[in-house]
């Protein structure tokens, strides 16, 4: 009882001293500004953050925290996992990673059953069910479940790119983008198609490739119903409806709907032909033209008529052929109204009206208005009439033909009618 009474008296003394005004102590140092917490304990204000990062300006109250933060910029990773070799710059991240190997998932969602290694990830996951978005961008109003996603989003507005490639110096706003970029230098292609064996460095490219095998075309044009494997292809296709041609040639001002078409067009001016056939040495300006040209050597005819089964090496040739079945003649002459199955046939026909000379023989200088006519004419020069009759001057390809002809002059053989 005596001990209990003494303890009670001591508690009263301590409680009294807690609310008494402390004696003022004179010192040369300026007092540190403090704030009262909800528990009555003093804490440092933001003015106490005296350690600042020179690269991004972030401030810290302790030098040790600044040292840990600097590893974000220096990419220094002191903690290495002995099981998989992965390294980390912070001890907390290293400990969280180790739970992957121990399969320790302490936090389980009661709504969907999903489990998590970290309490932070679990708390962020629960916001998916509650719809709570704690982090809102004050510039555009977009909200986020995770602070990491919010921080990455803010770099869109600030333009900050803290993750740099040490090999080429290229910078990125997000670390996953840097990791994907590094595969350009390492040549790593972790995503492999099990059906054809083709490998990819990016998961997005791998998923797009798999649509070739599955036949999936998730991007559909709302105007004509045509579907595409890639969103980019749909975007380019939409220009056929809008008529948009954003790529312009600086030399002739001709416009194109795609950049690739512009690049191919520029070779008309530069006369560059970078694609060469290894079999015959012919050079072409477009890669697609080389593929088509190779069918001459391989004999490949991938386009087949569904009506008669005839095959063709070019898609345009098949389209022209199909008009023989449908009877379609979409190209009409404005002068006489005559229609043709191909644009080329119409052009030759119009030359007949205008008398335009477009084809000239290199050997004799004769000019003709039709391509098929000039081809027939060129055959007259290709004939090897080396054996000529001394009586009438007629030429023959072989000596036997000449001897047979000479019998007509000698009266040994009568001409056949």
């Amino acid at each position: 009882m005596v001990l209990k009474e003494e303890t009670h008296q001591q508690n009263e003394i301590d409680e009294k001293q807690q609310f008494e005004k402390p004696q003022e102590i004179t010192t040369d140092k300026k007092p540190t500004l403090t704030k009262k917490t909800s528990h009555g304990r003093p804490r440092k204000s933001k003015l106490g953050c005296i350690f600042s990062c020179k690269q991004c300006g972030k401030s810290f109250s302790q030098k040790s925290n600044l040292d840990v933060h600097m590893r974000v910029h220096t990419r220094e990773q002191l903690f290495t996992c002995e099981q998989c070799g992965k390294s980390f710059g912070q001890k907390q991240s290293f400990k969280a990673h180790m739970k992957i190997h121990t399969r320790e998932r302490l936090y389980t969602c009661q709504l969907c059953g999903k489990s998590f290694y970290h309490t932070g990830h679990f708390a962020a996951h629960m916001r998916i069910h509650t719809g709570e978005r704690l982090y809102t961008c004050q510039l555009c109003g977009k909200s986020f479940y995770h602070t990491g996603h919010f921080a990455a989003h803010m770099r869109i507005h600030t333009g900050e790119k803290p993750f740099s490639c040490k090999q080429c110096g290229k910078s990125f706003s997000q670390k996953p983008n840097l990791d994907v970029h590094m595969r350009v230098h390492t040549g790593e292609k972790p995503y492999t198609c099990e059906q054809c064996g083709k490998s990819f460095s990016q998961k997005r490219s791998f998923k797009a490739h798999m649509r070739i095998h599955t036949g999936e075309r998730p991007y559909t044009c709302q105007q004509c119903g045509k579907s595409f494997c890639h969103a980019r292809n749909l975007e380019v296709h939409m220009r056929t409806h809008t008529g948009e041609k954003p790529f312009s040639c600086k030399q002739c001002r001709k416009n194109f709907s795609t950049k690739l078409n512009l690049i191919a067009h520029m070779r008309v001016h530069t006369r560059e032909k970078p694609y060469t056939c290894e079999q015959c040495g012919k050079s072409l300006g477009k890669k697609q033209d080389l593929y088509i040209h190779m069918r001459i050597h391989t004999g490949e005819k991938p386009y087949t008529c569904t009506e008669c089964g005839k095959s063709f090496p070019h898609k345009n040739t098949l389209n022209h052929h199909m008009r023989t079945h449908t009877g379609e003649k979409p190209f009409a002459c404005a002068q006489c109204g005559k229609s043709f199955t191909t644009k080329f046939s119409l052009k030759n026909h119009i030359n007949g009206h205008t008398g335009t000379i477009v084809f000239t023989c290199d050997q004799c200088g004769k000019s003709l208005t039709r391509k098929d006519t000039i081809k027939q004419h060129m055959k007259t020069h290709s004939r090897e009439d080396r054996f000529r009759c001394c009586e009438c001057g007629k030429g023959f390809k072989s000596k036997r033909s000449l001897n047979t002809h000479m019998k007509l002059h000698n009266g040994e053989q009568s001409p056949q009618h």
Side-chain angles (χ1 to χ4, degrees), residues 51-310:
F51 302 99
S52 297
C53 174
K54 294 181 180 180
Q55 295 196 37
C56 65
K58 196 171 183 180
S59 299
F60 301 89
S61 59
Q62 297 181 18
K63 188 176 183 301
S64 59
N65 293 342
L66 173 62
D67 294 338
V68 172
H69 164 78
M70 287 305 295
R71 294 175 194 150
V72 174
H73 302 293
T74 62
R75 313 292 295 166
E76 183 183 6
Q77 298 181 342
L78 301 179
F79 307 97
T80 302
C81 175
E82 295 181 356
Q83 296 192 43
C84 66
K86 194 171 183 180
S87 298
F88 300 87
Q90 299 184 15
K91 191 174 183 179
Q92 182 181 3
S93 302
F94 171 66
K95 285 183 176 181
H97 165 77
M98 290 306 296
K99 294 176 183 176
I100 298 173
H101 298 296
T102 59
R103 302 292 180 184
E104 184 182 1
R105 296 195 179 205
L106 302 177
Y107 311 98
T108 303
C109 175
Q110 301 298 320
L111 296 172
C112 66
K114 194 172 183 180
S115 298
F116 299 87
Y117 298 111
H118 319 297
T119 179
H121 293 172
F122 173 64
H125 165 78
M126 290 305 297
R127 296 182 198 126
I128 297 173
H129 298 297
T130 62
E132 183 183 12
R133 293 174 182 256
L134 299 180
Y135 311 98
T136 302
C137 176
Q138 300 300 320
L139 296 171
C140 66
K142 196 171 182 180
S143 298
F144 301 87
Y145 296 114
H146 310 282
T147 179
H149 295 170
F150 172 64
H153 165 79
M154 289 305 297
R155 295 183 194 125
I156 297 173
H157 300 296
T158 63
E160 182 189 5
K161 294 182 177 182
F163 306 99
S164 299
C165 174
K166 292 183 179 180
Q167 296 195 39
C168 66
K170 194 172 183 180
S171 298
F172 301 88
S173 59
Q174 299 184 38
K175 187 177 180 294
N177 294 344
L178 173 62
D179 295 337
V180 171
H181 164 78
M182 288 306 296
R183 295 173 190 152
V184 175
H185 302 295
T186 62
E188 182 189 6
K189 294 183 178 181
Y191 306 101
T192 303
C193 174
E194 295 181 356
Q195 296 193 40
C196 67
K198 195 172 183 180
S199 297
F200 300 87
S201 59
Q202 298 185 27
K203 191 174 184 179
R204 180 178 57 184
S205 302
F206 171 66
K207 285 184 175 180
H209 165 79
M210 289 306 296
R211 297 182 192 130
I212 298 173
H213 301 295
T214 62
E216 181 188 5
R217 292 174 175 262
Y219 306 99
T220 304
C221 174
Q222 299 300 319
Q223 295 194 39
C224 66
K226 194 172 183 180
S227 298
F228 300 89
C229 296
H230 312 291
R232 176 64 180 168
N233 292 349
L234 173 60
E235 183 182 338
V236 172
H237 164 78
M238 290 305 296
R239 293 174 190 154
T240 61
H241 299 295
T242 62
E244 182 188 6
K245 293 183 177 181
F247 305 97
S248 178
C249 173
K250 294 181 180 178
Q251 296 194 37
C252 65
R253 300 300 177 184
K254 194 172 182 180
N255 296 320
F256 300 89
S257 59
T258 66
K259 191 175 182 179
L260 288 177
N261 290 344
L262 172 61
I263 292 171
H265 163 78
M266 289 305 296
R267 297 183 188 127
V268 174
H269 301 295
T270 62
R271 298 190 182 280
E272 181 190 4
K273 294 183 177 181
Y275 305 101
T276 304
C277 175
E278 295 181 356
Q279 296 196 36
C280 66
K282 187 174 182 179
S283 297
L284 301 122
K286 298 179 182 178
K287 193 173 184 179
Q288 183 65 22
D289 290 345
L290 177 61
Y291 287 143
I292 294 172
H293 166 78
M294 289 305 295
R295 293 173 190 153
I296 298 171
H297 302 294
T298 61
E300 182 188 5
K301 295 182 179 181
Y303 304 100
T304 304
C305 174
T306 55
E307 296 287 334
C308 64
K310 194 174 182 180

Side-chain angles (χ1 to χ4, degrees), residues 313-369:
H314 313 298
K315 190 175 182 179
N316 287 338
T317 312
L318 172 62
N319 292 337
H320 296 159
H321 165 79
M322 290 303 295
R323 292 172 189 149
T324 61
H325 298 294
T326 62
E328 181 188 8
K329 292 183 178 181
F331 305 98
C333 176
Q335 294 188 42
C336 66
K338 192 175 181 179
S339 298
F340 300 88
T341 57
T342 65
K343 192 175 182 179
F344 176 75
S345 300
L346 173 62
K347 189 181 289 186
N348 281 338
H349 169 78
I350 292 173
N351 290 336
H353 286 300
T354 60
T356 306
I357 299 172
V358 290
F359 302 104
T360 303
C361 177
D362 295 333
Q363 297 192 36
C364 67
K366 189 174 182 180
S367 297
L368 298 162
T369 59

